[in-house]
Amino acid sequence: MTIPGCTPGVHTADTNLPVPKPVQTSGGPGSNLSSVRTDSSGKEVYSSPSSSAAGPSQQTTIITQPSSSAAPTPPPVVEDEDDPEVKVESGSKCLRNGCKHLFVSDEESRGDGAQSTCVYHPKPPLFHEGSKGYLCCKRRVLEFDEFLKIEGCKTGKHLFVKKKRNPEASATEELVQCRIDHYQTPGQIRATVYAKKCDQDRSTITFESERVHLDLYLPDSKRCKRTLELYGPVNPTESSYTFYGTKVELLLVKQDTRSWNLLEKTNADLAGFQLTFGVGGRTGTVGGKELVLDEGNKAKP
C-alpha cells in the first residue's frame, strides 16, 4: 500500500477503464524481428519487415545445435570381498552397511543357506541438512533411529573379514603427505605421523643417524613416502616406532641433550627462536606425560 505510483493521470471514480496496450518502440529489443520460420534443413530463420521487403539476402539465420554435454559416468563401486580363509568368532557382525547379521558358523553364514544372503547398501551413508540415507538409494529420513532401520537395496554375501587386494591389480598409486607433530624431552624426540589405517605388513620405517625414511601404505591406493632430515643426530639402534589405528608413533633417541628448534633441518634464519623442554613450553611439547626440565630451567625459582 505504500508503494508510490509510476504513471501520472487524472483522478476518476470509474474502475472499468481499459488497460492501455504497450507501445513497442523501434529501438527496443526484438523490434527488428517480425517472423520466424524453419527451412527444409531444420534451421530457424528470423526476418524483419525491412529485410522481407529487401529480399532473402537480408535474412538473419540462427543455427541451433543440440547440447552435446552429457553427464559423466560415475566410476564403478569396488566392493570388498570376504576372506573365507580367516577364522571368524561367533557373534561377529557383518561389516556391510545396513546388514545386522551375526556370524553363526561357516556353513550357515558363509555357505549357501538362507542366512548366508546379505541385504546391504553398497555405497556409503549420506547426511545432509538433517536428512539421512545412503547414496545408493533414494529413501531419506530425519531421525537416526529410522536411519538404522533402512533396509538394504542389494543382495550378496556377508563380509566379516576384508580380503586383501592384490597391490599390482589395484588402481594407480597416489602419493600423499601425512601431517607430523612432535614434542621433545632432553634425551628424546616423540613424533606422531597421522597415517590412518596404515598397512603394517607393507609399510617400512628406517632410522639413520641424521634422517628417518618413511614408506607408509594407506587405504584407497594411497602412499606416504618421505625422508625426514632430522635437526640433530639420533641413535638408530635405540630408536623405535609403533603402529596404531590412526597414527604411527616415532621414538627418536638423541645422541646429545641439546634442544631441537625444529624436527627437520631448515635453511631459514632461526635467530631468537628456541623451544623449551617439558609440558610447560610454548611449542613442540604437546603430548608430554610429565614435566621435564633441563638443568638451566631447574635452577630457576
Side-chain angles (χ1 to χ4, degrees):
M1 299 296 291
T2 59
I3 299 178
C6 59
T7 303
V10 181
H11 295 290
T12 178
D14 190 1
T15 59
N16 296 323
L17 294 177
V19 179
K21 296 182 179 181
V23 179
Q24 183 176 4
T25 61
S26 58
S31 59
N32 59 339
L33 300 178
S34 60
S35 63
V36 180
R37 64 182 181 85
T38 304
D39 60 6
S40 59
S41 62
K43 300 178 182 179
E44 293 183 355
V45 179
Y46 296 79
S47 60
S48 61
S50 58
S51 62
S52 300
S57 60
Q58 300 294 329
Q59 294 179 348
T60 302
T61 303
I62 300 177
I63 303 175
T64 58
Q65 297 180 353
S67 177
S68 60
S69 60
T73 304
V77 179
V78 180
E79 300 182 18
D80 293 310
E81 297 180 1
D82 186 45
D83 192 350
E85 298 180 358
V86 180
K87 185 178 180 181
V88 181
E89 297 182 358
S90 179
S92 299
K93 187 178 180 298
C94 178
L95 300 180
R96 297 197 187 277
N97 292 327
C99 182
K100 302 178 181 180
H101 177 74
L102 302 179
F103 183 82
V104 179
S105 63
D106 288 340
E107 293 76 13
E108 297 187 19
S109 299
R110 285 178 166 175
D112 298 330
Q115 296 189 23
S116 63
T117 302
C118 179
V119 182
Y120 64 100
H121 296 281
K123 292 187 178 181
L126 172 67
F127 301 95
H128 179 68
E129 295 183 354
S131 65
K132 305 169 183 64
Y134 290 90
L135 293 174
C136 51
C137 50
K138 297 182 179 180
R139 184 181 176 187
R140 298 291 183 267
V141 295
L142 297 178
E143 299 295 333
F144 189 77
D145 293 339
E146 296 297 326
F147 165 74
L148 297 177
K149 298 177 182 178
I150 298 178
E151 297 181 356
C153 57
K154 186 177 180 179
T155 57
K157 292 295 183 180
H158 294 294
L159 176 64
F160 299 102
V161 180
K162 294 182 180 180
K163 188 176 183 179
K164 293 184 178 180
R165 301 174 184 173
N166 185 5
E168 297 180 356
S170 60
T172 305
E173 199 171 59
E174 178 184 359
L175 294 178
V176 297
Q177 293 293 334
C178 296
R179 183 168 62 92
I180 301 178
D181 290 340
H182 77 283
Y183 70 94
Q184 65 176 317
T185 64
Q188 297 177 346
I189 295 289
R190 292 185 177 270
T192 302
V193 184
Y194 292 95
K196 188 176 182 180
K197 297 182 180 180
C198 182
D199 191 344
Q200 304 182 25
D201 299 333
R202 301 170 58 197
S203 301
T204 58
I205 299 177
T206 306
F207 296 103
E208 296 182 4
S209 59
E210 295 183 353
R211 60 185 59 88
V212 177
H213 302 281
L214 303 175
D215 192 1
L216 308 177
Y217 287 86
L218 306 175
D220 300 329
S221 301
K222 295 182 180 180
R223 183 178 180 183
C224 177
K225 194 172 183 179
R226 180 176 176 182
T227 298
L228 303 178
E229 298 290 341
L230 301 177
Y231 187 84
V234 298
N235 192 332
T237 58
E238 297 181 6
S239 300
S240 61
Y241 59 88
T242 305
F243 286 97
Y244 294 96
T246 57
K247 60 184 179 179
V248 180
E249 292 283 353
L250 305 179
L251 175 60
L252 307 176
V253 179
K254 298 179 182 179
Q255 291 187 7
D256 49 43
T257 58
R258 62 175 175 170
S259 174
W260 290 18
N261 289 346
L262 299 172
L263 179 62
E264 298 182 78
K265 291 180 181 178
T266 179
N267 295 326
D269 184 12
L270 300 179
F273 180 83
Q274 185 177 4
L275 304 183
T276 58
F277 294 116
V279 295
R282 290 183 55 194
T283 311
T285 60
V286 177
K289 304 301 181 183
E290 58 183 5
L291 185 63
V292 181
L293 301 176
D294 58 0
E295 297 299 329
N297 287 325
K298 288 181 179 179
K300 295 180 181 180

